[in-house]
Amino acid sequence: MNNIEPWNCEGVSARELAERFGTPTYIYSLQTLKARWFAYKNALNALPHLICYAVKANSNLALLTVLAKLGAGFDVVSGGELQRVLRAGGQAQHSVFSGVGKQPWEMQLALSAGIHSFNVESAAELRQLEQVAQSMRLIAPISLRVNPDVDAQTHPYIATGLKENKFGIPMEDALPLYLEAARSPHLRIRGIDCHIGSQLLSLSPFTEALEKILGLIDQLAAAGISLGHLNIGGGLGVAYRPEEIAPSPEEYIAQLQPLLQHRSLTLLCEPGRSLIADAGTLLTRVILLKPGQHKNFAVVDAAMNDLLRPTLYGAWMSIQEAEPSSPTTLAESKVWDIVGPVCETGDFLGKDRQLSLHSDSLLVVTQAGAYGMSMSSNYNTRCRSAEVLVDRGQCHLIRRRESLDDLLATESALPESFHVA
Ligand code: LLP
């Protein structure tokens, strides 16, 4: 028996959510999202700025609409994400387009929508963009994404600011490329950007990167190139483990602000995780318990296809019982591996968790709002979860659970008469 408080989202209990919407379901708290947004907004108050939410962290249309209504701009990495932003009521003029492999159709789309700037990642991309702009008789607004060669001290898969990573333009190549861009009538230089990685819990790599980029900005100025904005990317981490401490947006900006004094630059940033992670929870139900001599497994109805972070990065995410166990449920406290039904040993949400579980327990994986639903898949022909936004006790279904028909809609069987030669 354990005396945890029942989990709820803005007053709606896990039990009610599970009964109304089924499991697994992603639940989002509107008030938490708002609080994270205003933490950034207030931190940036004294600076000319633009917050471009990194859509890849969670691209649900309703959440994008909320952010657009709060005044967010967006960081998109594909034509698909840009179309989502536009459908959600977001403004291209306040959005930037990142990514190492933009295709001509995506450039065209962003140019006709009036994107704020392309974060250009290579000489080849710059030349391609110039051609596309020329063919459309438009001028493409650009920022060069430089790679400052800084160790973000994060998981290697999500470190992006090292020389060996595919991202950005080496610092030493930036000046000649800016000069090339300045000569083109089809390109307009707007700024400079970088993004050194994700889930950073230390602020020093951000400072290191910023110092290097400010040095480059001075070099550019000496060569006659002045910039309107400096985009510091995203990357601020969240404290997933109880022993971790994540800097707040306030601390993050306070650390960078002194370096920006006396420079007439608009500060852009592209936070994803630090805006949306805490607002989201994955609600899941135990399917069956499989205690054993070596290991105790709790098989739940969410799996690696719903939440890939533990499998892909070995990420630790908090998993709690959603309700206190009562004497009638016969729950026993044990150390459990929380695993999904997918046929892979790597399919787990958490390992070695001390929990009191019974055969119908509801569990919550908290801080799952970022890179949860957006990285989900249909592996093992599993229909993706529903998503629910809760606003002070009121629930809005913002994505219905997928059906098998949804999954099969794009596939075609061969005709009965087809002969396999
Ligand atoms: N800007 C750019 C150019 C990015 O590539 C990213 C993330 C962001 C902004 C937002 O970074 P954030 O503030 O969310 O750290 N799937 C991984 C994270 C991948 C991050 C990719 N880029 C995870 O679940 O940890």
Side-chain angles (χ1 to χ4, degrees), residues 40 52-57 75 77 98-99 119 121 145 155 157-158 160 167 193-195 197-200 231 233-237 240 269-276 308-309 312-313 315 370-372 374-375:
Y40 265 99
C52 296
Y53 166 67
V55 173
K56 64 172 82 69
D75 164 42
V77 291
S98 304
N119 291 342
E121 301 224 17
R145 174 173 177 179
H155 190 282
Y157 290 2
I158 54 176
T160 50
F167 298 98
D193 63 284
C194 76
H195 170 77
S198 193
Q199 182 53 10
L200 274 75
N231 178 346
L236 190 63
Y240 288 109
C269 58
E270 304 168 348
R273 189 191 316 265
S274 51
L275 275 178
I276 196 78
L308 186 60
R309 303 195 66 255
L312 189 59
Y313 315 110
Y371 306 110
S374 63
M375 291 178 75

Side-chain angles (χ1 to χ4, degrees), residues 123-135:
E125 180 189 335
L126 190 74
R127 289 164 199 156
Q128 172 91 73
L129 181 60
E130 184 187 20
Q131 276 184 12
V132 171
Q134 182 175 15
S135 71

Side-chain angles (χ1 to χ4, degrees), residues 4-43:
I4 55 163
E5 287 291 308
W7 181 89
N8 72 85
C9 182
E10 298 195 21
V12 187
S13 71
R15 177 75 29 198
E16 180 181 341
L17 287 161
E19 277 164 13
R20 278 183 66 184
F21 303 104
T23 54
T25 292
Y26 276 97
I27 313 291
Y28 304 102
S29 156
L30 178 66
Q31 298 309 316
T32 306
L33 175 54
K34 267 179 70 184
R36 294 297 171 272
W37 168 258
F38 284 110
Y40 265 99
K41 214 51 206 161
N42 296 336

Side-chain angles (χ1 to χ4, degrees), residues 230-302:
L230 164 57
N231 178 346
I232 53 173
L236 190 63
V238 303
Y240 288 109
R241 293 175 184 264
E243 68 274 20
E244 283 173 346
I245 299 171
S248 64
E250 196 183 354
E251 291 165 318
Y252 169 51
I253 300 301
Q255 170 107 355
L256 303 184
Q257 201 160 342
L259 298 173
L260 298 168
Q261 233 115 63
H262 314 300
R263 289 183 184 263
S264 53
L265 286 166
T266 299
L267 186 69
L268 265 64
C269 58
E270 304 168 348
R273 189 191 316 265
S274 51
L275 275 178
I276 196 78
D278 289 353
T281 300
L282 177 60
L283 178 64
T284 178
R285 187 192 288 273
V286 169
I287 298 174
L288 56 86
L289 296 175
K290 196 174 169 187
Q293 265 187 358
H294 298 291
K295 274 270 174 188
N296 300 312
F297 294 104
V299 185
V300 299
D301 58 9

Side-chain angles (χ1 to χ4, degrees), residues 104 107-113 131-139:
M107 293 175 174
Q108 281 163 7
L109 185 74
L111 276 171
S112 18
Q131 276 184 12
V132 171
Q134 182 175 15
S135 71
M136 296 173 77
R137 296 174 203 277
L138 290 173
I139 300 175

